[in-house]
Amino acid sequence: MSEPRSLNFLEEIIENDIAAGTNGGRVHTRFPPEPNGYLHIGHATSICLNFGLAKKYDGKCNLRFDDTNPVTEETEYVESIMNDVKWLGFQWDNVLYASDYFEKLYDFALTLIKKGLAYVDDSTAAQIAEMKGNTVTPGIDSPYRNRSVEENLELFAAMRDGKYRDGEKTLRAKIDMAHPNLLLRDPLMYRIKHEAHHRTGNKWCIYPMYDFAHGQCDSIEEITHSICTLEFIHHRPLYNWFIEQLGIFPSKQYEFARRNLTYTVMSKRKLLQLVNEGHVSGWDDPRMPTISGMRRRGYPAEALRNFSDTIGIAKRENIVDISMLEFCVRDVLNRTSHRAMAVLDPVKLVITNYPEGSTEIFEAENNPEDVTAGTRQVPFSRELWIEREDFMEEAPKKFFRLTPGNLVRLKSAYIVKCEGCVKDADGNVTEVHCTYLPESRSGNDVSGLSVKGTIHWVSAAHAHTAEVRLYDRLFRVEDPSNEDGDFKEYINPDSMQVLEQVYIEPSLAAAHTGHTYQFMRKGYFCVDTESRDGHLIFNRASTLKDTWAKEKKK
Ligand code: ATP
Ligand code: MG
């Protein structure tokens, strides 16, 4: 993953600009979220890109909240966004808000009115849409298009003063009603909305439209490279038009393809539906593609950054296989997480020749991938919990785990020989019996035996219990947004399985929220935010291997 890669197209543009001395060779980007929801993995790409470019070229990156729509924006979202950016490992130079520039934007609007380039329109939204024309028919001028500058100034001031109801008037740019790009057919600049804003309260009842706010904010902050997603490509001429007419700092817009991922949805509107309709427990549900959901699930920030770097950026829409992200997650967790033993589906293993009441302590490596990770102590005794699936009374030839007559190593402890089992009246196995070979003690094995199977275990007398939540993909089809009907019809009904009582080794009792462990042979598990002393909860971040690919091949 650390192999040098060629420059992406934005790096090429930036390097050319630096070479040409554009803007004095300065690089200044921004990440401009609208605080109307929690950030998702697509936003993570944009964050890594904007902050990453600033870092690479010794520039700056602003965090700017694009808060021009009072209806959908909330402080809760602002806080979660700041938290997510920091967690991803980035630090902004400034936190800014589009709403800080409302007065300045208003002045820009006055400038355009005075230049005869903006007018107040009394037409309704429906009338404006009708007069717009379409790709083959030019639009029609509004009857209010030729109002005098004085009248426009007066009406616009009255709009600001709250003299009109929502929708009664708008401010429009006067460009060209026959322009081939429909966005330039006298676009709206301001609309009336009698709504309280999360920062400006009731100070304003007119709010600028995205197109009139975004480029102007970039310009005010002297952003050199304003990077956005492809759907804004047709907005670029308008972005430039406003900047040119106002004669302000010439920020430039560049577009890249949105990040799409299989087996999930990625628009905040859809994610909000999942939350509001109770399909998930909240924005940070570990099955959500949100940054907060992934964090809670145990995905490391480094894995998200690596994913972003590995995939790179494209100029054309595409959909990335979610297993690429899962690969990045496993790659980091394998290097960084401590190993521990936990038995998810327990059955008792009794070592019939081990002295009753005795306990031994084994030193086990915390992480064989990392010698600095140290060791931990794991108690061993006569009765252990093992996974039910690690015993078979009648096993096929290649079953190297416990079946009568087989030798198996208990991880970090002894080799045992399976002797048989005890069953209840219904034929369910209640205990597995074995004998151990004292000379096979791990670290001092003089048995001369080599066995094919190694299984994990937890001493029954020392075990703690925990709740474990197993997660699977939230949707059962690759691209739920592109299927017939509502995307929610494709929710995977088995995306979460709760195991109420899992046995864990005692060293895990002190595990802290947010810490991720490898449960040997079972996957990576992270302590959930709902976990409490006395009621530990682990989320499965990932299996050890890509089990889904195997499923699909069946
Ligand atoms: P959504 O459509 O998911 O609601 P949005 O584009 O409305 O997202 P914003 O808050 O406006 O969300 O996005 C902030 C920044 O993140 C923008 O620059 C936007 O282009 C970028 N962004 C949003 N979604 C993606 C994505 N899927 N891939 C890459 N960048 C994205
Ligand atoms: Mg948006």
Side-chain angles (χ1 to χ4, degrees):
M1 212 160 289
S2 55
E3 276 173 35
R5 54 169 178 78
S6 51
L7 295 184
N8 66 44
F9 74 95
L10 289 169
E11 291 167 332
E12 277 178 17
I13 290 169
I14 290 178
E15 296 202 359
N16 286 336
D17 283 345
I18 293 173
T22 313
N23 299 315
R26 193 171 57 82
V27 175
H28 200 157
T29 56
R30 86 288 172 263
F31 172 64
E34 191 180 342
N36 62 350
Y38 282 61
L39 299 181
H40 51 62
I41 180 79
H43 295 113
T45 303
S46 178
I47 293 169
C48 292
L49 186 61
N50 280 295
F51 283 93
L53 288 170
K55 200 165 171 186
K56 177 165 182 183
Y57 295 106
D58 209 13
K60 290 180 182 222
C61 181
N62 292 351
L63 172 63
R64 183 202 313 140
F65 289 100
D66 212 334
D67 58 347
T68 53
N69 182 359
V71 184
T72 52
E73 293 156 5
E74 287 172 31
T75 310
E76 175 197 345
Y77 298 137
V78 169
E79 278 158 17
S80 78
I81 290 170
M82 293 205 266
N83 198 17
D84 286 350
V85 174
K86 271 193 264 177
W87 177 76
L88 270 177
F90 297 105
Q91 185 54 55
W92 48 83
D93 281 281
N94 297 299
V95 185
L96 302 157
Y97 295 83
S99 55
D100 289 341
Y101 309 131
F102 280 168
E103 199 66 53
K104 207 149 192 176
L105 293 169
Y106 182 82
D107 286 342
F108 285 154
L110 293 182
T111 305
L112 291 183
I113 293 174
K114 287 177 196 154
K115 285 180 85 174
L117 293 172
Y119 61 98
V120 174
D121 196 339
D122 301 1
S123 311
T124 62
Q127 287 164 339
I128 289 176
E130 210 183 302
M131 288 187 287
K132 189 149 205 168
N134 53 42
T135 45
V136 286
T137 323
I140 304 167
D141 285 0
S142 157
Y144 306 98
R145 196 171 197 262
N146 292 317
R147 278 181 159 146
S148 68
V149 169
E150 290 66 35
E151 193 184 1
N152 280 321
L153 287 173
E154 208 171 291
L155 289 172
F156 189 48
M159 276 169 68
R160 176 181 181 162
D161 289 344
K163 302 250 163 72
Y164 307 108
R165 281 168 311 189
D166 288 9
E168 222 180 312
K169 286 191 166 40
T170 54
L171 183 75
R172 298 177 71 180
K174 193 170 177 179
I175 307 180
D176 179 0
M177 286 307 292
H179 202 285
N181 180 342
L182 268 62
L183 291 169
L184 277 84
R185 293 187 186 171
D186 291 11
L188 297 196
M189 290 166 57
Y190 271 90
R191 66 204 145 155
I192 301 173
K193 248 185 194 173
H194 290 273
E195 289 276 351
H197 183 277
H198 76 118
R199 298 190 78 238
T200 57
N202 291 313
K203 181 163 183 220
W204 294 88
C205 64
I206 56 170
Y207 291 96
M209 304 298 291
Y210 173 88
D211 283 317
F212 187 64
H214 202 92
Q216 285 48 256
C217 294
D218 284 343
S219 181
I220 293 168
E221 295 171 13
E222 303 204 337
I223 299 301
T224 55
H225 299 82
S226 172
I227 300 161
C228 64
T229 39
L230 222 46
E231 70 270 24
F232 291 103
I233 196 161
H234 302 297
H235 295 247
R236 198 196 315 153
L238 185 53
Y239 181 102
N240 292 337
W241 189 88
F242 281 127
I243 284 179
E244 278 159 26
Q245 300 307 324
L246 290 165
I248 52 181
F249 181 84
S251 297
K252 290 263 177 326
Q253 173 183 306
Y254 302 93
E255 307 85 15
F256 74 104
R258 293 179 89 75
R259 168 76 69 244
N260 299 305
L261 266 191
T262 56
Y263 297 101
T264 191
V265 293
M266 212 109 88
S267 96
K268 279 184 275 193
R269 193 176 49 79
K270 287 184 179 145
L271 296 176
L272 187 62
Q273 278 181 52
L274 293 176
V275 173
N276 286 346
E277 296 171 22
H279 299 286
V280 293
S281 64
W283 283 99
D284 69 344
D285 185 298
R287 293 164 292 180
M288 290 281 271
T290 51
I291 297 178
S292 49
M294 291 182 177
R295 174 169 62 236
R296 181 168 167 192
R297 177 142 172 195
Y299 285 17
E302 185 188 352
L304 268 60
R305 291 195 302 268
N306 290 348
F307 172 67
S308 213
D309 284 357
T310 313
I311 308 288
I313 52 164
K315 282 190 189 176
R316 230 176 285 153
E317 286 279 343
N318 58 6
I319 179 161
V320 174
D321 194 331
I322 199 166
S323 54
M324 297 279 283
L325 172 62
E326 293 162 349
F327 171 86
C328 294
V329 168
R330 287 190 192 96
D331 182 57
V332 173
L333 290 179
N334 182 40
R335 274 191 281 113
T336 57
S337 61
H338 283 190
R339 274 53 173 168
M341 295 197 278
V343 175
L344 306 192
D345 180 20
V347 69
K348 203 49 106 39
L349 177 73
V350 181
I351 307 166
T352 54
N353 63 340
Y354 195 84
E356 276 189 58
S358 281
T359 297
E360 271 178 274
I361 306 289
F362 288 98
E363 285 292 321
E365 269 179 309
N366 279 331
N367 185 354
E369 305 280 323
D370 175 7
V371 284
T372 65
T375 59
R376 66 188 192 285
Q377 301 197 318
V378 188
F380 180 86
S381 62
R382 188 173 191 265
E383 296 195 359
L384 312 174
W385 294 113
I386 59 164
E387 298 288 346
R388 190 165 280 278
E389 62 176 16
D390 284 338
F391 171 75
M392 273 181 100
E393 196 174 17
E394 282 167 50
K397 246 195 160 140
K398 292 230 162 125
F399 187 79
F400 298 121
R401 291 168 280 161
L402 293 165
T403 187
N406 252 14
L407 291 175
V408 168
R409 174 164 297 277
L410 298 174
K411 180 74 191 167
S412 304
Y414 294 104
I415 293 175
V416 293
K417 181 176 181 199
C418 183
E419 306 288 355
C421 66
V422 178
K423 290 191 252 183
D424 66 12
D426 301 326
N428 300 314
V429 175
T430 53
E431 276 180 10
V432 179
H433 285 187
C434 68
T435 48
Y436 84 117
L437 283 66
E439 67 277 19
S440 66
R441 196 178 202 279
S442 202
N444 185 24
D445 182 354
V446 291
S447 69
L449 296 168
S450 89
V451 296
K452 286 215 168 104
T454 299
I455 65 170
H456 63 278
W457 49 272
V458 174
S459 165
H462 305 90
H464 287 238
T465 58
E467 177 183 326
V468 163
R469 299 174 180 170
L470 304 176
Y471 297 104
D472 200 347
R473 292 171 183 175
L474 189 51
F475 289 89
R476 50 192 172 77
V477 295
E478 279 197 0
D479 193 2
S481 304
N482 256 331
E483 296 281 345
D484 292 340
D486 190 81
F487 75 99
K488 295 190 292 303
E489 287 167 30
Y490 300 92
I491 291 178
N492 173 6
D494 303 316
S495 61
M496 173 158 117
Q497 190 193 345
V498 177
L499 307 177
E500 305 277 356
Q501 201 175 47
V502 158
Y503 291 110
I504 56 174
E505 61 168 78
S507 73
L508 284 173
H512 293 300
T513 298
H515 258 75
T516 304
Y517 295 85
Q518 185 193 99
F519 288 178
M520 298 175 79
R521 302 175 63 227
K522 288 283 134 190
Y524 297 99
F525 292 78
C526 177
V527 185
D528 188 64
T529 48
E530 287 174 0
S531 195
R532 296 287 170 267
D533 276 353
H535 186 87
L536 272 176
I537 304 171
F538 287 91
N539 297 315
R540 183 171 69 194
S542 156
T543 50
L544 289 179
K545 292 196 190 108
D546 189 349
T547 49
W548 187 276
K550 223 169 46 193
E551 283 293 310
K552 266 207 306 196
K553 274 193 208 126
K554 269 187 197 165

